[in-house]
Amino acid sequence: MNKPTVVSGIRPTGYLHLGNYFGAVQNFLRMQENYNCYFFIADIHSLTTHPTPENLQSGVRQVLAEYLACGIDPEKSTIFIQSDVPEITELYTFLNMNAYLGELERTTSFKDKARQQPENVNAGLLTYPVLMAADIIIHKAHFVPVGKDQEQNLEMTRKFAKRFNRMYKSDVFPIPKPFTFDGADLVKVPGLDGSGKMGKSEGNAINLYDDPKDIRKKVMRAVTDAGPTEKNSEKPEPVQNLFNLMKIVSDPAVVQQFDEAYVKCEIRYGDMKKQLAEDIVSFTAPIRERIVEILADDAYLAKVAKMGSEKARESAVATLKEVKDLIGFRKLF
Ligand code: TYM
C-alpha cells in the first residue's frame, strides 16, 4: 500500500529554536518511518525579509545541517531546498490567479507583519500563503506537521486546493490536514519574555545551536513575578509559560514538584530556572555537537541537497504536468 505523503518546511532565517523543534521537527522524526516525507528549507519564503546573499546562503546551510543533526534521515525522507524545485514557483503563479486580494489581506499573519514592518509590506508577504499552498500540494500532500502559528496558513492551502479541484472538475489535489502525533493539539512553544510564542524575530528564542552558557543566561533572565501570595492561586501568563516550557523539556516528576511548590507558595523561581536550563542543555548539547560536525562536511551537505532536489523534482514535475494539462496548456505543435 502507498504511504501517505507529508510535506513541511522551515524558513532559513537563523538557527532552529525549541519552537521549531517541538512544533515541527519532532513530528518529522516520528513520521519518517511510515510516511512518504518531503522536508524542505523555505528559502524563497525567507526573501520577504530581504536577507543579504551571504545570509541567505549561510541560513540554508545551517538549517540543512540542523535537520540532519536532529535525526532526519536523507535516505528515508526527501530533504530539499525550495529554490531547487522551480516547479513550485510555476504552480504558485497559477494558484495566484485564483487567490483573491480580500482573503489574502484578511490573513492574520499578513496583518501582523504589515503592522510590525509598515515600511516593507511587499507582494510576497501578501501571497505568502499561496506559495505555501504550492509547496504542499505540488507533492499531493495528505498531512502537514506544523506548529499552531501555521494553522491559518494551512486553512488557506486547503481552500486553494479545493478551489483548484472544483474549478477544473478534478481531484488532482488531496486536501491536506495539519498533523500532530496521537491527534494532539498543534503545539505552541512559549517564549522566555513572558508573552506569546517563541520566535526568531521576537528575540526570545533558545536555539538548538546555542552554547550551554548562553542557554543558562537566557533562562535565568526569563520573566516571572514576585511569586504567589495565596495558596492554590492561578498562575499569571509569564509563570504559566515557564511551566509550559518545562512540561515540554523536563521530566513530568520535575514539573509536578515545582507545581506543588507553587500551589503551597513555596516556589523559588531561581531553582526552577536552574533546573529548566539544565534540562534544556542536556537535550540540546548532543544536537549542537552533531550540527558542528555536519557543518564541517561540505561534501556531505552538497550530496544531501542534490539527492533531495532530484527526488523532489521528480514528484513536482509529475504534478505540474497534470496541472498544466488541466488548465489547458496543451501542445499546439
Ligand atoms: P517557520 O520557519 O516560522 O517555522 C518552522 C516551523 O516551526 C514551527 N514553529 C513553532 N511551533 C510551535 N511553537 C513555536 N513557538 C513555533 N515557532 C515556529 C512553525 O509552526 C513551523 O512548523 N511558513 C512556514 C514555513 C513554510 C511551510 C511551508 C511549512 C513554508 N512553506 C509548507 C509547512 C508547509 C514558516 O514560516 O515557518
Side-chain angles (χ1 to χ4, degrees), residues 9 11 19-20 23 40 45 128 132 135 146-147 149-150 187 189 198:
R11 282 171 305 142
N20 298 136
F40 68 97
H45 275 108
Y128 190 104
M132 241 179 103
D135 290 330
V146 283
D149 58 309
Q150 296 299 320
V187 174
V189 178
M198 183 173 288

Side-chain angles (χ1 to χ4, degrees), residues 8-10 19-29 145-147 187:
S8 198
I10 297 186
N20 298 136
Y21 187 90
F22 290 104
V25 177
Q26 187 176 54
N27 280 318
F28 300 178
L29 296 174
V146 283
V187 174

Side-chain angles (χ1 to χ4, degrees), residues 98-254:
N98 312 316
Y100 293 95
L101 184 59
E103 62 191 345
L104 295 172
E105 279 178 334
R106 278 194 302 276
T107 315
T108 315
S109 52
F110 175 72
K111 287 195 285 190
D112 286 350
K113 282 281 179 325
R115 211 175 315 114
Q116 288 158 10
Q117 47 180 69
E119 72 300 342
N120 181 23
V121 188
N122 58 64
L125 272 181
L126 183 72
T127 57
Y128 190 104
V130 187
L131 181 55
M132 241 179 103
D135 290 330
I136 294 168
I137 66 181
I138 194 114
H139 300 297
K140 302 194 176 191
H142 302 97
F143 297 109
V144 189
V146 283
K148 183 88 184 151
D149 58 309
Q150 296 299 320
E151 201 168 28
Q152 195 183 25
N153 282 336
L154 258 194
E155 208 36 66
M156 303 285 282
T157 296
R158 292 164 58 81
K159 202 194 267 186
F160 296 139
K162 281 184 202 163
R163 192 174 288 166
F164 189 96
N165 284 350
R166 198 168 50 239
M167 195 162 163
Y168 294 105
K169 300 187 179 52
S170 84
D171 53 6
V172 57
F173 296 124
I175 309 305
K177 292 198 183 81
F179 182 95
T180 52
F181 238 70
D182 304 330
D185 286 343
L186 296 186
V187 174
K188 178 173 162 188
V189 178
L192 292 169
D193 52 355
S195 66
K197 68 159 197 163
M198 183 173 288
K200 282 174 238 205
S201 41
E202 284 80 352
N204 62 9
I206 296 181
N207 303 315
L208 299 175
Y209 194 58
D210 281 346
D211 192 76
K213 267 206 320 279
D214 292 334
I215 293 181
R216 292 188 183 105
K217 243 192 263 162
K218 285 183 181 179
V219 176
M220 292 319 281
R221 276 203 308 260
V223 176
T224 50
D225 64 358
T229 47
E230 270 177 49
K231 289 192 177 164
N232 299 311
S233 55
E234 212 174 291
K235 300 183 183 91
E237 198 184 349
V239 176
Q240 185 60 53
N241 282 349
L242 202 63
F243 271 92
N244 289 349
L245 197 56
M246 194 173 224
K247 273 187 215 150
I248 292 170
V249 294
S250 303
D251 202 74
V254 170

